[in-house]
Amino acid sequence: MKELTYHRADDAASAVALVAADPDARFLGGGTNLVDHLKLGVTSPTTLVDVSRLPLDEVSELPDGGLRIGTNVRNSDLAAHRAVRRGWPVVARALLAGASGQIRNQATTGGNLLQRTRCVYFQDVTTPCNKREPGTGCSAIGGYGRYNAVLGASEACVTTHPSDLAVALAAVDATVVVLGPDGERRVPMSDFHRLPGDRPEQDTTLAHGELVTAVELPASAAARRSTYRKARDRASYAFALVSVAAGLELDDDGRVSDVRIAWGGVAHKPWRAEVAEAELRGRFVSEEAVRAAAEAELAAAVTDEQTAYKVPMVRNLTALTLTGLAEGATR
């Protein structure tokens, strides 16, 4: 049994100070990911700083029509929130596609963004893994790789990010509010997670001791007409093989004035499909147009015999999602 020190934080600033002062300290929120890793031996912090009781559990409307979501808002509460369902349905649907009802009752908004990969080798401490132990190698390369990334991977790591919520937040241009030893800063969702490069152990651009305190959602017509689709091995409680978060705004003549596309299950981070978006702006939505746009984005994909299925799957799912949004918009 490995001993550790437990602190229940009184406020966000003291929590940040405690973790920043100890390189082996970690924040504890809902615990749905971290506690599993403690049991598996994937991580072994000396100190846990519990931030789950901090008063960061409210959803509030912003003056510009956006929404501020506290880091401790539970996934189930966020998915059911009337303002979220009305203005950002992609966020509600992504949350409902993730995990089980029991886990959604416990998991938090901030913790969801910080969850680590479900790669079988990362979770098996008997195997080499650069993400768990930098410099030891990547067992997924040449091993069981059905879930591996097809975009943005490196020779050091080919795993994918598991979050559904993060994909939806990438699609709506969310901002992550972070408190650190030097004060507060705001990180665009597109810059929050990182590709593996030669440092796959770093999932995000956060510095040690920085605490996610909130996520802010900007209002937009594309966010109001948005949805999330997820392809998985079974109907519930399974991580995405691929997923699509999309929002759409059409001009009066039916052409695309704004489109947002983010993919899950294909990269080390939620993949914002900016090439595909550029291809679709100013055009009419059709299955052929969306497939071609997705194909342009997927030109950079690198696959093998285990992951080749992901390319047609994400292309088809993107076409299904966007044509469905367009048809709904014209009724």
Side-chain angles (χ1 to χ4, degrees), residues 59-315:
V59 178
S60 55
E61 296 188 13
L62 298 172
D64 61 0
L67 210 64
R68 182 181 174 95
I69 303 162
T71 192
N72 284 334
V73 174
R74 305 292 170 170
N75 287 181
S76 54
D77 293 335
L78 187 60
H81 198 281
R82 183 173 298 178
V84 176
R85 295 169 68 89
R86 181 178 62 248
W88 299 266
V90 63
V91 172
R93 290 169 184 168
L95 286 164
L96 292 174
S100 65
Q102 294 92 329
I103 290 177
R104 291 196 297 269
N105 287 339
Q106 182 70 15
T108 62
T109 298
N112 191 296
L113 302 188
L114 295 171
Q115 63 182 301
R116 310 207 69 192
T117 182
R118 264 50 179 201
C119 176
V120 294
Y121 299 106
F122 174 75
Q123 297 188 98
D124 181 355
V125 295
T126 67
T127 61
C129 172
N130 286 322
K131 180 174 281 294
R132 179 172 23 84
E133 294 182 75
T136 58
C138 177
S139 297
I141 298 176
Y144 178 73
R146 184 165 176 263
Y147 294 93
N148 288 354
V150 297
L151 290 167
S154 71
E155 294 182 358
C157 183
V158 293
T159 192
T160 58
H161 194 273
S163 173
D164 295 292
L165 174 60
V167 181
L169 295 180
V172 299
D173 292 321
T175 297
V176 184
V177 184
V178 176
L179 180 65
D182 297 324
E184 185 177 275
R185 68 187 182 102
R186 311 168 78 79
V187 185
M189 189 64 195
S190 58
D191 297 331
F192 184 75
H193 296 98
R194 58 181 301 279
L195 295 176
D198 59 359
R199 293 180 291 123
E201 71 278 9
Q202 297 183 14
D203 294 333
T204 72
T205 56
L206 293 180
H208 181 71
E210 287 191 311
L211 173 68
V212 174
T213 57
V215 174
E216 294 182 348
L217 310 182
S220 70
R224 288 192 295 274
R225 185 178 295 131
S226 62
T227 194
Y228 183 78
R229 289 184 181 271
K230 178 179 180 178
R232 47 189 164 180
D233 284 326
R234 56 183 185 269
S236 65
Y237 200 24
F239 296 101
L241 299 172
V242 302
S243 64
V244 176
L248 184 65
E249 181 183 5
L250 301 179
D251 289 334
D252 292 340
D253 65 355
R255 295 178 186 270
V256 175
S257 61
D258 190 16
V259 61
R260 317 284 181 84
I261 306 169
W263 291 338
V266 299
H268 193 258
K269 61 181 286 185
W271 188 270
R272 184 67 182 265
E274 295 178 346
V275 173
E277 292 174 355
E279 290 283 325
L280 288 169
R281 290 192 181 96
R283 302 184 61 181
F284 292 107
V285 176
S286 68
E287 184 174 335
E288 294 74 18
V290 179
R291 286 178 181 274
E295 201 65 53
E297 185 76 43
L298 290 163
V302 177
T303 66
D304 58 23
E305 61 182 10
Q306 295 189 71
T307 58
Y309 77 93
K310 289 196 174 191
V311 169
M313 182 176 280
V314 75
R315 182 180 61 227

Side-chain angles (χ1 to χ4, degrees), residues 54 162 251 325:
L54 297 181
D251 289 334
L325 286 173

